[in-house]
Amino acid sequence: MEQKLHPNVIHYWNIMYFLHTIKWLLICSIPLIIRAVWLPAWGWLTMISCLAVLFFFIRGFTFVCYGVHKKYSRRSYLLGDDEIMIRWGNAWSDNSSIIPISRVQHVDQEQDMLAKKLGLSELTITTAGDHHFIMGLAEEDAVRLRRQIIELSKLDEKDAYYD
């Protein structure tokens, strides 16, 4: 049965995307400041900057209100005996990756300050050709899942994992 992410990941994504939107609103406001101080005759600069600010505001508001819940509903993972399936997507797409356990080279658990405050972790699964991420796991689940992946990927006594 597919495992869903921890519900706190919705709050995490809301905060992160809100901060991302604020960053872009500030960047798009720079031309307004430049026009007001140095180039008062360039009216077109105001129009372009206002359109960019409006675009990022609408995009951010839409994602925080609608996109985060859609993103959460499309994300899950499933650990089998010989493979890991990771499902992800957003409002427009639904994707999945199947990673053979025998191809796993490295498994990392990571947290930033906000994720630590919300009790979340991200698991990074490295194979020869790519990195796969599972963001939004509870800390205990991330530790348990990491340990299970490591144990399943050990073949014979020639493993590369050391604890």
Side-chain angles (χ1 to χ4, degrees):
M1 185 170 116
E2 287 187 32
Q3 301 292 315
K4 294 299 286 179
L5 304 179
H6 194 278
N8 280 354
V9 76
I10 293 173
H11 302 299
Y12 177 81
W13 286 332
N14 277 332
I15 293 168
M16 292 304 286
Y17 206 77
F18 176 76
L19 293 174
H20 177 77
T21 300
I22 294 297
K23 175 187 77 171
W24 280 106
L25 290 176
L26 291 173
I27 289 171
C28 291
S29 298
I30 291 172
L32 289 174
I33 297 167
I34 291 173
R35 182 189 181 274
V37 175
W38 291 293
L39 306 167
W42 287 17
W44 59 270
L45 192 58
T46 304
M47 168 103 62
I48 292 172
S49 184
C50 287
L51 287 174
V53 167
L54 183 65
F55 168 76
F56 282 108
F57 178 77
I58 291 171
R59 181 177 161 220
F61 183 76
T62 303
F63 186 76
V64 167
C65 292
Y66 173 71
V68 169
H69 296 286
K70 198 65 164 168
K71 185 177 178 176
Y72 177 75
S73 70
R74 299 228 173 148
R75 296 218 171 194
S76 62
Y77 67 94
L78 176 64
L79 178 63
D81 291 336
D82 57 349
E83 64 188 19
I84 307 162
M85 194 248 329
I86 303 173
R87 234 183 82 224
W88 76 95
N90 53 30
W92 301 277
S93 66
D94 193 14
N95 307 305
S96 64
S97 289
I98 297 177
I99 307 160
I101 292 288
S102 62
R103 300 292 183 201
V104 172
Q105 292 181 341
H106 190 72
V107 183
D108 274 334
Q109 178 186 355
E110 301 173 6
Q111 286 180 311
D112 58 18
M113 285 186 343
L114 181 59
K116 188 164 186 73
K117 182 81 172 163
L118 293 171
L120 299 173
S121 286
E122 176 179 18
L123 215 58
T124 304
I125 302 166
T126 306
T127 60
D130 208 355
H131 299 284
H132 304 276
F133 304 96
I134 305 174
M135 174 58 199
L137 297 170
E139 289 181 59
E140 311 81 47
D141 293 341
V143 169
R144 179 186 48 76
L145 184 60
R146 180 177 183 266
R147 175 70 15 227
Q148 287 176 335
I149 292 170
I150 289 171
E151 290 302 319
L152 286 172
S153 65
K154 288 182 178 181
L155 298 173
D156 301 328
E157 294 299 319
K158 303 173 194 163
D159 58 48
Y161 290 99
Y162 301 101
D163 285 335

